[in-house]
Amino acid sequence: MSNFTTVSYKKDELNKELATLLSALLEKKTVDGIMVPCRQPSGTVMQTLITDPVQTAQVDPFAPVAPVSSAKLASSLTAKPSGKKIALVMRSCEIRALIELVKLNQASLDNTLLIAQDCFGRYENKDFYALQEKGLTTESFIQAAQGGTTATDGLDVIEACTVCEHPVAANADIRLCLIGADAGTFSVEAASEKGEQAIKDMGLSGSDNAGKRADAVKTLVAARQDAFTQKFNEYREKINSFQALEENMVKCVNCYNCRVACPVCYCKECVFVTDTFRHDGDQFLGWAQHKGTLKMPTDTVFYHLTRMTHIGNFCVGCGQCTSACPNDVNLTMAFRAAAKVSQDRFGYESGRSLDEAQPLTVFHDDELVEVTGQVK
Amino acid sequence: MSEFEPQIVAFFCNWCTFTAADLAGTSRLAYPPNLKIVRVMCSGMVDPKYVIKAFLNGADGVLIGGCWPGDCHYINGNLKARRRVAHLTEILKQYGIGEDRFWLRWIAASEGTMLQEVAREMTEKIKALGPSPIKTQQEAA
């Protein structure tokens, strides 16, 4: 049996079809709640936790915007067991971050149904609202993206999305598939046993084949991978010293928004807001005296390097750090570059699998001999 | 102009490498005074922040000294240190602080001569490399 079911929708009725499928999950008691991006009265799209089937009318999971990474939201819903089953409709980057949080015991997948929507990328919040004013709809975005372009009116999806090699989530129970779909259709894929059961509850049979999907996904991933390699090389070439890094970060005002927005910044309390970094005046003066000058606020490069060591193994490249920065510091490539080199060293990939141990949580006697070069 | 004298911050484990330094001292084995030794309870407790801060504040090299695998007083702190050093090395390397300036070495309590050797080797190596690229730039923020 194939795992795909194709669903057709009339113009402007994509979300209506999705609402029907999702409300069935609540009606059939497959789940007790669904967290899914929904349109708010102001036109904003935010993750919303729905328990009443009627309220699914506002769902809009494919809207090209993600004001926060829902991995953190999923963590607050699941970290302590509520005893209720929850469906989580999330993007690939959010799911990958969630998997890292599960490994850190800050979230759990025990009572969840993971529903992943194909992702062509997201706009910055303000760009999304501006485009909406000019008539952008989720469906017009999908149509353009399926045709190979995400740029509209001179605005494009964020840089992080243009170099994201995971438009399809690897770990999900159900996938809502758009890549390679014919116009006016999407397909629902059962990606696990749990997902198969839930799809039956939605009233779908799972009888179609995947069509052109596999090829379309392959082409898109290859293009994104090339784009990443190019961006990575450009970044490495340009920002290859502490001085260059400092220049890149010079607009940083120590607001730590990037840390708050980061779905995998896992410390319960960040050391940079503790007494360790609350210095007395004479201390600052002492440092200034040393060189005759001290840029303030201090410790910005120190902060970003520390964050690189903390999340280097987990960064999923969601770009929320850049979106959260009030001063347009380009953080995405700094963190993705750190993630690339540290994950490559350990053969790890963030969010790839629940069964892979995070690199710094395990160690072996007979490994990494090259670090010391000493053998007894 | 006087010869460049590297400043090396050395984090030595209390049980092995620091004791080795002590032994080197009592055995009158001279080693370069470029090492500024910080005694820590275990190489596994050297937070990457210590290393980053040392480099940002102008250290030309950082050396972490721990017990040989299997000999750790805390069973496996040194193995954790090794993973962490590998991880941090990758990040520092991108910004011009390579493996030649950031060392982890196993030196047992009885290996006073090895301590002398490593201290000499690292000092020579960094002398040849020249000052840390950070030092020649503006005071890092």
Side-chain angles (χ1 to χ4, degrees):
Chain A
M1 184 189 113
S2 163
N3 290 326
F4 287 87
T5 311
T6 303
V7 180
S8 310
Y9 60 90
K10 289 192 204 114
K11 197 176 178 321
D12 298 327
E13 290 192 356
L14 166 64
N15 287 331
K16 206 172 139 191
E17 288 295 336
L18 291 164
T20 311
L21 296 176
L22 293 174
S23 62
L25 292 178
L26 290 171
E27 277 158 8
K28 297 258 169 67
K29 306 262 186 262
T30 315
V31 293
D32 301 295
I34 304 176
M35 185 177 78
V36 52
C38 282
R39 241 161 226 284
Q40 310 296 316
S42 61
T44 319
V45 176
M46 292 297 269
Q47 283 282 3
T48 306
L49 183 59
I50 304 177
T51 53
D52 178 356
V54 175
Q55 300 297 331
T56 52
Q58 300 309 316
V59 300
D60 194 0
F62 290 113
V65 68
V68 294
S69 169
S70 61
K72 281 243 160 129
L73 306 173
S75 160
S76 39
L77 280 174
T78 63
K80 277 196 185 152
S82 63
K84 304 265 164 106
K85 273 197 238 155
I86 303 173
L88 302 165
V89 184
M90 300 167 74
R91 283 158 203 277
S92 159
C93 56
E94 297 170 321
I95 290 178
R96 283 177 289 123
L98 177 60
I99 282 173
E100 293 306 312
L101 291 176
V102 170
K103 293 189 206 175
L104 291 158
N105 292 322
Q106 295 192 1
S108 158
L109 294 179
D110 289 348
N111 269 316
T112 59
L113 179 73
L114 278 182
I115 303 177
Q117 71 267 44
D118 276 2
C119 183
F120 289 109
R122 67 172 174 91
Y123 294 106
E124 289 294 5
N125 297 335
K126 60 176 186 338
D127 293 348
F128 173 71
Y129 300 128
L131 288 171
Q132 246 184 196
E133 298 262 303
K134 291 182 183 165
L136 174 99
T137 65
T138 301
E139 282 180 35
S140 71
F141 172 76
I142 290 171
Q143 217 173 0
Q146 281 176 329
T149 174
T150 48
T152 325
D153 265 339
L155 296 172
D156 203 348
V157 295
I158 61 164
E159 185 186 30
C161 298
T162 62
V163 297
C164 168
E165 63 279 58
H166 301 280
V168 175
N171 297 282
D173 298 308
I174 293 174
R175 291 193 195 97
L176 303 173
C177 311
L178 282 177
I179 300 168
D182 291 328
T185 69
F186 65 91
S187 53
V188 184
E189 180 193 1
S192 75
E193 264 177 48
K194 231 198 273 186
E196 221 166 276
Q197 185 53 48
I199 284 174
K200 274 186 202 144
D201 293 346
M202 286 176 177
L204 301 174
S205 57
S207 56
D208 297 330
N209 61 41
K212 300 164 283 176
R213 178 169 169 79
D215 284 341
V217 170
K218 219 160 131 190
T219 311
L220 182 59
V221 170
R224 298 265 189 89
Q225 263 162 351
D226 288 348
F228 174 72
T229 308
Q230 194 194 332
K231 278 268 160 68
F232 177 79
N233 292 340
E234 273 169 25
Y235 177 82
R236 282 272 51 89
E237 211 167 286
K238 221 171 100 200
I239 304 184
N240 55 9
S241 67
F242 277 73
Q243 190 175 16
L245 180 65
E246 197 188 346
E247 277 160 21
N248 188 58
M249 303 292 186
V250 77
K251 288 185 284 180
C252 173
V253 295
N254 292 20
C255 72
Y256 304 148
N257 279 2
C258 47
R259 181 200 72 201
V260 176
C262 179
V264 291
C265 223
Y266 55 88
C267 298
K268 293 284 185 188
E269 186 179 20
C270 177
V271 65
F272 283 91
V273 297
T274 63
D275 282 347
T276 309
F277 289 92
R278 211 163 287 132
H279 311 299
D280 292 338
D282 60 345
Q283 183 116 55
F284 287 113
L285 282 164
W287 287 326
Q289 222 147 32
H290 186 62
K291 282 263 169 170
T293 166
L294 179 72
K295 181 193 83 60
M296 299 201 48
T298 59
D299 294 320
T300 48
V301 168
F302 191 17
Y303 161 74
H304 290 291
L305 279 168
T306 301
R307 235 172 73 71
M308 281 179 208
T309 68
H310 281 201
I311 65 140
N313 287 315
F314 312 136
C315 174
V316 292
C318 67
Q320 290 288 354
C321 45
T322 301
S323 298
C325 180
N327 291 296
D328 297 325
V329 176
N330 187 356
L331 297 159
T332 297
M333 276 318 292
F335 285 101
R336 274 216 66 180
K340 176 166 173 44
V341 293
S342 39
Q343 292 178 27
D344 280 358
R345 178 78 183 246
F346 296 105
Y348 186 76
E349 192 188 298
S350 61
R352 180 165 56 191
S353 157
L354 264 179
D355 306 323
E356 266 176 285
Q358 293 177 336
L360 295 188
T361 61
V362 283
F363 45 85
H364 308 288
D365 265 336
D366 51 347
E367 63 168 9
L368 299 171
V369 176
E370 72 278 11
V371 172
T372 60
Q374 295 165 289
V375 183
K376 220 175 201 171
Chain B
M1 208 179 116
S2 62
E3 203 188 342
F4 159 63
E5 287 295 341
Q7 295 207 43
I8 299 169
V9 178
F11 297 99
F12 285 169
C13 135
N14 178 57
W15 306 100
C16 288
T17 314
F18 189 84
T19 311
D22 216 10
L23 177 65
T26 49
S27 315
R28 302 193 172 231
L29 300 170
Y31 57 88
N34 305 63
L35 268 59
K36 308 285 181 282
I37 299 174
V38 181
R39 183 185 193 171
V40 292
M41 290 310 285
C42 177
S43 56
M45 67 158 284
V46 180
D47 191 297
K49 280 195 290 296
Y50 300 172
V51 179
I52 295 170
K53 186 74 175 173
F55 280 121
L56 286 176
N57 280 0
D60 300 297
V62 171
L63 168 65
I64 301 177
C67 309
W68 282 86
D71 293 346
C72 177
H73 198 76
Y74 305 99
I75 303 166
N76 50 32
N78 49 357
L79 301 180
K80 293 171 183 161
R82 184 165 59 184
R83 278 226 161 193
R84 212 176 286 152
V85 166
H87 173 56
L88 181 56
T89 301
E90 292 301 326
I91 288 163
L92 292 177
K93 216 160 53 177
Q94 298 188 90
Y95 300 107
I97 298 288
E99 273 140 334
D100 34 16
R101 290 189 188 272
F102 177 33
W103 294 23
L104 169 69
R105 290 294 180 270
W106 311 134
I107 303 171
S110 60
E111 295 176 323
T113 46
M114 190 193 277
L115 183 115
Q116 182 188 37
E117 230 171 84
V118 168
R120 278 185 183 162
E121 198 192 333
M122 189 166 187
T123 309
E124 285 313 308
K125 182 104 199 226
I126 293 181
K127 249 185 204 170
L129 278 174
S132 153
I134 301 172
K135 232 195 238 176
T136 51
Q137 298 159 8
Q138 249 224 315
E139 174 91 27

